[in-house]
């Protein structure tokens, strides 16, 4: 069964020889055509959540119209179709990450994925004296679960610092990898600074020291061509809603032996082979970790999102976003009193900034009235903002479907609203 509209499969959007028709790509995103406060929308909050192409929207619509049933239980035709569609999405996602489908646990997103590692891998293993190493640039989803584990096991958290330009301080990180460190939790790409961490090298160093690695790939999967198998990590978490997919979808990749050694996190239907009041025989991974009815239509949509990203081409997406980032950085740097946080070489298309004398929330509110959506606040990364000594920043995060014209409109709106604030 194909739950995808033919449009995804025919006429590839990316003609990689001659370049991609970005206007045509943009036309796939209906939400981008709307107005906000009477102004054309300029959506620059992509690190928060991404917009969805018609192909993703249509795939879910078609699933509910024609194939809706629960997965794994029913032998009737619809049950089989729904199960096939759900497993097809797992296969597509596995291919996208270059991992094996049996090693990919489908879940609601990165927050769930990291909690799964915390509760199923870390909680039974860690003890007083052990150390969990995290970087200062982590999202709260890669901090708080480790604090909960630390509280319950007596392990402690150690923080690896960053350099003023937003790069990880690798020398300090490797020095912090002492014998007590059992786990390293690190972002692939920072949601605030855009820093792309050298995760392959970091995981190699951790592995040499027997440290298990959890990489938060939330901000990497939408922007970079990934090869998780080659990365050498132990766990890799992604979230669907930032990669053109529906909310409430995501995945945890883990090595098969790790998944086999871990107890289930959530118990219920779907994750068992046999249940009696004397005990339960669990299903094999990854199903052992997928109790209950999953977000089936959501994963059909995520499968369509993967098809979409691949049809545009991840290399083309990365190149397009670098170009947009360079333009936006230049436009913002021309604004007097504007300070950018995070200038690491090769960074992703995320710009956190402040303008002297203006509060981040005030600017974001006024920009909204101009049709420009940027995020203001702490971006679920309080410790990182504490490092920079600021209470909040504005963040403009770009996606391949943004345009150069939108960047100019954003910069012009920023100059205008800055003036309004005096
Ligand atoms: N980690 C990072 C780096 C993120 O940017 C986000 C989303 N803001 C998360 C984790 C949380 O992911 P989810 O929305 O899937 O819970």
């Amino acid at each position: 069964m194909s739950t995808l509209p033919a449009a995804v499969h025919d006429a590839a959007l990316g003609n990689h020889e001659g370049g991609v028709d970005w206007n045509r790509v943009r036309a796939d995103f209906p939400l981008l055509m709307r107005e906000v406060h009477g102004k054309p929308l300029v959506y620059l909050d992509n690190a928060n959540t991404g917009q969805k192409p018609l192909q993703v929207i249509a795939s879910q619509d078609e699933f509910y119209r024609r194939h809706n049933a629960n997965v794994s239980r029913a032998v009737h035709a619809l049950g089989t179709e729904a199960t096939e569609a759900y497993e097809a999405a797992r296969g597509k996602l596995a291919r996208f990450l270059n991992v094996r489908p049996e090693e990919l646990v489908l879940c609601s997103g990165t927050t769930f994925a990291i909690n799964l590692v915390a509760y199923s891998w870390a909680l039974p293993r860690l003890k007083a004296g052990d150390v969990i190493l995290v970087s200062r640039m982590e999202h709260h989803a890669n901090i708080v679960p480790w604090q909960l584990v630390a509280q319950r096991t007596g392990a402690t958290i150690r923080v690896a610092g960053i350099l003023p330009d937003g790069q990880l301080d690798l020398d300090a990180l490797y020095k912090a990898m002492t014998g007590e460190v059992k786990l390293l939790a690190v972002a692939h790409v920072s949601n605030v600074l855009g820093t792309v961490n050298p995760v392959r090298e970091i995981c190699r160093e951790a592995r040499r020291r027997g440290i298990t690695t959890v990489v938060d790939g939330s901000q990497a999967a939408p922007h970079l061509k990934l090869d998780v198998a080659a990365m050498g990590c132990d766990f890799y978490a992604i979230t669907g809603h930032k990669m053109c997919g529906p909310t409430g979808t995501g995945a945890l990749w883990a090595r098969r032996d790790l998944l086999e050694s871990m107890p289930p996190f959530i118990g219920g239907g779907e994750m068992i082979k046999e249940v009696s009041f004397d005990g339960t025989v669990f299903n094999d991974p990854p199903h052992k970790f997928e109790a209950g009815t999953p977000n089936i239509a959501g994963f059909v949509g995520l499968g369509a999102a993967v098809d979409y990203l691949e049809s545009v081409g991840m290399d083309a997406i990365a190149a397009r976003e670098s170009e947009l980032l360079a333009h936006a950085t230049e436009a913002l740097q021309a604004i007097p009193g504007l300070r950018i946080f995070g200038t690491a070489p090769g960074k992703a298309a995320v710009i956190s900034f402040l303008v002297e004398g203006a509060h981040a929330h005030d600017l974001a509110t006024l920009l909204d009235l101009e049709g420009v959506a940027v995020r203001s606040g702490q971006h679920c990364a309080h410790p990182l903002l504490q490092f920079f000594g600021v209470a909040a920043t504005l963040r403009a995060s770009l996606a391949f479907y943004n345009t150069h014209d939108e960047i100019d409109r954003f910069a012009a709106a920023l100059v205008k609203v800055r003036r309004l604030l005096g």
Side-chain angles (χ1 to χ4, degrees), residues 200-223:
R200 205 167 165 162
E201 177 192 322
I202 292 169
C203 292
R204 192 176 57 232
E205 291 300 319
R207 179 159 295 238
R208 280 204 310 125
R209 297 162 170 86
I211 299 169
T212 298
T213 45
V214 182
V215 178
D216 174 353
S218 310
Q219 298 289 345
H223 309 294

Side-chain angles (χ1 to χ4, degrees), residues 46-107:
N46 295 287
N48 208 357
T49 198
Q51 297 304 343
K52 321 302 173 199
L54 283 167
Q55 290 82 345
V56 169
I57 298 167
S59 70
Q60 292 185 276
D61 184 74
E62 188 194 322
F63 177 79
Y64 280 129
R65 282 175 193 274
R66 293 191 43 80
H67 308 291
N68 181 46
N70 211 329
V71 293
S72 304
R73 293 190 194 105
V75 295
H76 56 70
L78 294 187
T80 307
E81 288 173 16
T83 305
E84 279 174 9
Y86 180 69
E87 290 304 326
R90 190 195 310 276
K92 286 174 188 183
L93 206 51
R95 197 190 58 226
F96 183 75
L97 299 172
N98 192 28
V99 298
R100 288 158 54 199
E102 319 82 83
E103 297 183 332
L104 200 58
V105 179
L106 301 183
C107 61

Side-chain angles (χ1 to χ4, degrees), residues 26 31-32 34-36 39-43 371 373 406 409:
R26 185 175 170 85
L31 186 140
L32 300 178
R34 68 164 281 187
E35 293 192 340
V36 169
K39 307 267 170 65
L41 170 68
V42 177
Y43 184 78
E406 284 183 307
R409 276 190 280 147

Side-chain angles (χ1 to χ4, degrees), residues 284-403:
D284 298 323
H287 308 288
K288 182 167 87 171
F289 301 102
E290 295 178 8
T293 300
N295 181 2
I296 308 164
F299 282 102
V300 169
L302 184 54
V306 166
D307 284 338
Y308 188 84
L309 291 173
E310 286 180 337
S311 70
V312 179
M314 290 311 293
D315 288 335
I317 285 174
R320 165 80 172 171
E321 291 178 350
S322 298
E323 217 182 81
L324 293 170
L325 173 67
H327 179 172
T329 305
E330 203 183 312
L332 292 187
Q333 276 170 341
I335 297 174
L338 189 144
R339 173 182 174 201
I340 292 178
F341 299 84
T343 51
K347 67 178 265 193
V350 175
I351 310 178
S352 282
F353 64 96
L354 278 177
V355 184
E356 216 178 358
H359 287 291
H361 292 302
D362 293 344
L363 283 173
T365 306
L366 291 173
L367 282 170
D368 178 54
L369 295 174
E370 297 297 316
V372 178
V374 294
R375 187 163 176 196
S376 60
Q378 304 197 323
H379 320 294
C380 299
H382 290 188
L384 178 59
L385 267 72
Q386 282 155 15
F387 170 80
F388 285 109
V390 294
T393 68
L394 288 123
R395 182 184 69 184
S397 48
L398 308 166
F400 56 93
Y401 44 70
N402 286 126
T403 65

Side-chain angles (χ1 to χ4, degrees), residues 47-48 108-112 114 139 141-142 187 189-191 216 218-219 238-242 249 375 379-380 395:
N48 208 357
S108 63
T110 297
T111 301
F112 189 99
I114 294 176
H139 185 280
N142 209 14
V189 175
S190 161
N191 65 313
D216 174 353
S218 310
Q219 298 289 345
I238 61 159
T239 198
H241 69 94
K242 296 188 203 283
T249 63
R375 187 163 176 196
H379 320 294
C380 299
R395 182 184 69 184

